[in-house]
Amino acid sequence: MDPHLLTTFVTVARRGSFSAAAAELGYTQSAISQQIATLEADLGLPLLSRRPVEPTPAGRRLLEHAEPLLLRLRAARADVLRSAAAPRDRIALAVTPLGFTAALAERLARARAARPRLEVTVVTCGRERVAALVAEGEADLGLVDGLAAPSDPLRPPDAGPMTTAGVGEEDVVVALPAGHPLAGRAALRLADLADARWLRTPLCPLSRLRALVGDGFPVALEHRGDDVRTLIALVAAGHGLTLLPAAVLGGAVGGAVAGAVGVPVSAPRLVHRVELLHGTLPSGPAADLARALTG
């Protein structure tokens, strides 16, 4: 299948409109229609219904393959170009909302002090987007975070060949309202909280907790953003529990922020782990910063 046709198909499916896809890709609407027809003829199946414009069952299955394939193609191009590129004093760093810790900010400050002409742009986004930006060459380095057993690596999103390195670990706490009956405990077991009401949030996927402990962890409210202050406000108001790095809620036992209290998790043993992601890094500022961030 022609990557150009796949790109057109993905764009039409995402925009839900042939005309919007044409405007985004710089084609005429008739050219977009012809490209979709060519792809459908190649597969012998309709991929998009027309009114409304949305993927058919076969189209939804193709989307599952097309987006990762196109990402890998962009990643391959970026990796080849990056390996031959001249060093530059401008670096883009993509980070997840909880991935840029105070320790890493200090390491970045020292690296910038050692290279005063270095220009750094920091972009905050989700884990999948961080990996995609690094793979496509839009970001030189990425920082992703997640829950893990001590010293266990994370499983970064599949975005092509990429180097990963652990750059930090810290304890995890259960975030509770300050007035919660368990807020004064020295520690809590996750298994004892399986029947509590939890927040569904990308900052703490409940699927990870269920994989560690088993069934349970009913959803009280869904939080779709990546703003930590919003998440803490929801916890403080009693909308549900979540897990957070200890530093977010004061770092120590009983640490509190804006009406939410953090109680350490005693079992299973968990840490908040941060990893650095990057592709091929020729000698220069990006490679130097990668070494600085790994400590």
Side-chain angles (χ1 to χ4, degrees), residues 97-98 199 203 223 225-237 244 248-249 257-258 260:
L98 294 173
L199 297 174
L203 299 178
H223 167 249
D226 55 15
D227 181 73
V228 181
R229 290 192 303 173
T230 299
L231 189 61
I232 292 174
L234 290 170
V235 170
L244 287 170
V248 174
L249 288 172
V257 172

Side-chain angles (χ1 to χ4, degrees), residues 174 182-190 192-193 253 263-267:
V174 182
L182 300 177
R185 293 284 187 89
L188 291 167
R189 290 161 27 98
L190 279 185
D192 295 336
L193 298 171
V253 174
V263 178
V265 176
S266 61

Side-chain angles (χ1 to χ4, degrees), residues 198-244:
W198 287 77
L199 297 174
R200 175 184 286 154
T201 169
L203 299 178
C204 174
L206 294 182
S207 58
R208 179 72 173 129
L209 306 190
R210 292 174 184 134
L212 290 166
V213 177
D215 294 336
F217 305 96
V219 176
L221 183 146
E222 183 168 4
H223 167 249
R224 294 186 180 179
D226 55 15
D227 181 73
V228 181
R229 290 192 303 173
T230 299
L231 189 61
I232 292 174
L234 290 170
V235 170
H239 292 287
L241 311 183
T242 192
L243 297 186
L244 287 170

Side-chain angles (χ1 to χ4, degrees), residues 52-265:
V53 176
E54 59 185 17
T56 63
R60 288 194 293 272
R61 181 61 60 86
L62 180 59
L63 277 174
E64 294 177 6
H65 295 281
E67 292 179 323
L69 283 171
L70 292 172
L71 173 58
R72 292 298 293 267
L73 286 172
R74 294 192 297 271
R77 177 183 177 84
D79 193 49
V80 171
L81 294 176
R82 186 166 45 227
S83 66
R88 54 181 186 153
D89 285 325
R90 293 189 305 276
I91 291 177
L93 177 62
V95 302
T96 51
L98 294 173
F100 200 41
T101 63
L104 291 171
E106 290 176 2
R107 293 176 196 174
L108 176 60
R110 290 195 295 269
R112 295 184 64 206
R115 193 184 286 268
R117 295 177 62 86
L118 184 64
E119 298 178 15
V120 179
T121 300
V122 178
V123 179
T124 302
C125 48
R127 294 179 78 244
E128 300 284 343
R129 186 59 181 154
V130 168
L133 288 174
V134 173
E136 296 171 0
E138 296 297 321
D140 301 279
L141 307 169
L143 291 169
V144 297
D145 71 287
L147 299 176
S151 301
D152 275 2
L154 300 177
R155 295 181 179 178
D158 183 13
M162 206 171 293
T163 299
T164 64
V167 294
E169 287 186 357
E170 65 175 302
D171 291 335
V172 172
V173 297
V174 182
L176 306 159
H180 194 281
L182 300 177
R185 293 284 187 89
L188 291 167
R189 290 161 27 98
L190 279 185
D192 295 336
L193 298 171
D195 294 328
R197 290 154 50 88
W198 287 77
L199 297 174
R200 175 184 286 154
T201 169
L203 299 178
C204 174
L206 294 182
S207 58
R208 179 72 173 129
L209 306 190
R210 292 174 184 134
L212 290 166
V213 177
D215 294 336
F217 305 96
V219 176
L221 183 146
E222 183 168 4
H223 167 249
R224 294 186 180 179
D226 55 15
D227 181 73
V228 181
R229 290 192 303 173
T230 299
L231 189 61
I232 292 174
L234 290 170
V235 170
H239 292 287
L241 311 183
T242 192
L243 297 186
L244 287 170
V248 174
L249 288 172
V253 174
V257 172
V261 173
V263 178
V265 176

